[in-house]
Amino acid sequence: MFYISNENPYESEQECMLIGLLDQPEKFLEGLKQLDDAFQGKLTELVKTGDISAKYKLVTVLHSLGNTPVKRFIFIGLGKEKELTVERLREAVGKASKKLKDLRVKSFSIALDTFIAGDISAEKAAWTVSEAYTMAAYEFAGYRKKSNKPEVIIDTITVFTNEDKKKIDPAVKTGWVFGTGVNHARTLVNTPSNLLQPSDLAAYAAKLADEYGFEIELLEKEEIEKLGMGAFLAVNQGSEEPPFMIVLKYQGKADWTDVLGLVGKGITFDTGGYSIKPKDGIVGMKTDMGGAASVLGAMEVIGRIKPERNVVAVIPATDNVISEKAFKPDDVITSMNGKTIEVLNTDAEGRLVLADAVTYAKMHGADRLVDVATLTGGVIIALGLDKTGAITNNEEFYQEVKEASNKTGEFIWPLPYTENDKKRVRSSKIADLNNSPGREGHAIMGGAFIGEFVENTPWVHLDIAGTATSDGESDLGPSGATGVMVRTLAMLAIGENTQG
C-alpha cells in the first residue's frame, strides 16, 4: 500500500499530492521553489494573497492545470513552526486526509519533507502522517442498503522523501499498524450487540492468536466455575449467552518475566441488570466492551511490531441482562481471590468482572497491570468527554503510562486514590467489600474497588467512559467509536525505542 521513493515528487505522475505548509514565507520559497517554478511563480502569489493558506489546519485543493505531472495538490496549513507538535501535525494531516474522500482518487502521494519541521524528525513525520491518514480514512460500513455509486478505494500511497528509505519505510508502516489497530477496535465497538456476543469476541481473539502466534486460552463457563470466578459469573447469571474469559499471551523475551498485563472490560451489552438503566441511558450500551476492544487493538499492534516484551491480555466477556436468574441488589457473591462482595448496584458490574480478570492476569504472571474500561458515568461528570480518568497505586508506573499517552496524544488525567476511598469500598456490614458505596466520587469508587484485587501489584486503571465514543466527528475519524487507548497501550508495551 505504501511505497517510499527518493525521486523528485513534482516530476512523478500522481493523481493527488499532500503538501504541508508552514506559516513562514521563507520556508515556502525554500522547500517548494521547484514547484513554484513549475507554476511560473504563481504559487508564491497565491500564498501572498491568502488563496493558499498556511494557517493551521486550513486545507486548499489546487489543480495543476498541466503545469506538473501531478494532477492535484492538497495544501494543508501547519501554522507556525515553533508551535508545531506531533499532535498538531497528526490532526492537520487527518483533516487534509478527509479531502481525499471528496476527490474520489484511487491513489495519492505525500511530499514528506514538507512535514519535517522543528522537533519533528523525518521518522516522526512519516509515522504521524501515516497514522493520521489511516485513522482519518476510517468508515464504519454499517448495515444500510448499498448505494449504486461505485466505491473508490485508495490502494496506493507513495511517500516522496530525500531521507534514507530504510529509515522512513518502517516508520510509515508502524504508523499504519497503529492506525489499523485503532480502526479495528472502532469496528468492534460500533458493532451491535446482537452481532457481537461474548462468543464473537472470543472468536475474534482466536483469529488474532492464529494470525500473530499468540498463546490463547478461552475459559468457558464450566472452567470459570471451577476456578471460582464468582464475581464474573454473577454478572453473567441472567444471560442465555455463555461467558468467556479470554487470555492472549505474547512472549517477546526468552523468560516469562517482567510481564505487562492488559485487562479490558468486555460487557457486550449492559442493561444495568435489576438496577436498570433509564431509556436514555441504555441506548448505546453496545459500547460497554470498549475496554476489551482497546486491548484487542493494542494486541494486534503488538503482534505486528513484535517488541521485546512479555504481555498478557485478559478480557472477561459477558453481557449484563435481566431474567429470573439474574443477580440482584443485596446478593453476596464470592470473587476468585476469596473476597466476598455485597452487591448494592447491579449496574456497577464492570468492576465485578474486572475483579476476577485482574486476579487471573496476576495468576498468569502479570507483575504490572493496566485495566481499561467504560466504567462510570462519574468520570464524565468529573472530567468531561475528552479526558480519560486514571487511578494508580504506583506513581512510577503511572508516569510510564502517562508518557505513552503523551506520545499518542490520548489525554489522561489522574484522580485521587486515598485510604478513605479504600475504607468506603470496604464498608459493607456483611461482606468484605461492597460494589457501590454511593454516588459521591463514583469514578474513584469504581477504581478503588478494582484496587482491592490488584493489591500490591503496580497498576493503572483507565476509565474511558467519556472517551470511548464521540457524538461528533473529529479530524481523526467519524462519530461513534474512537478506539481510544489502543495506541497508548501499544506504545507502553513497545517501550522507549519508538519514534511516535
Side-chain angles (χ1 to χ4, degrees), residues 20 96 112 217 275 289 291 344 353 364 408 440 449 457 484 492 494:
L112 181 67
E217 180 181 39
S275 305
M289 37 62 66
L344 300 181
V353 302
H364 274 281
T408 62
E440 302 85 357
F449 183 90
T457 304
V484 72
L492 177 68
I494 292 167

Side-chain angles (χ1 to χ4, degrees), residues 2 4 126-127 130 168-178 305:
F2 287 94
I4 315 301
W127 177 322
S130 169
I168 300 303
D169 184 63
V172 167
K173 288 179 179 175
T174 300
W176 175 81
V177 166
F178 268 64
I305 293 179

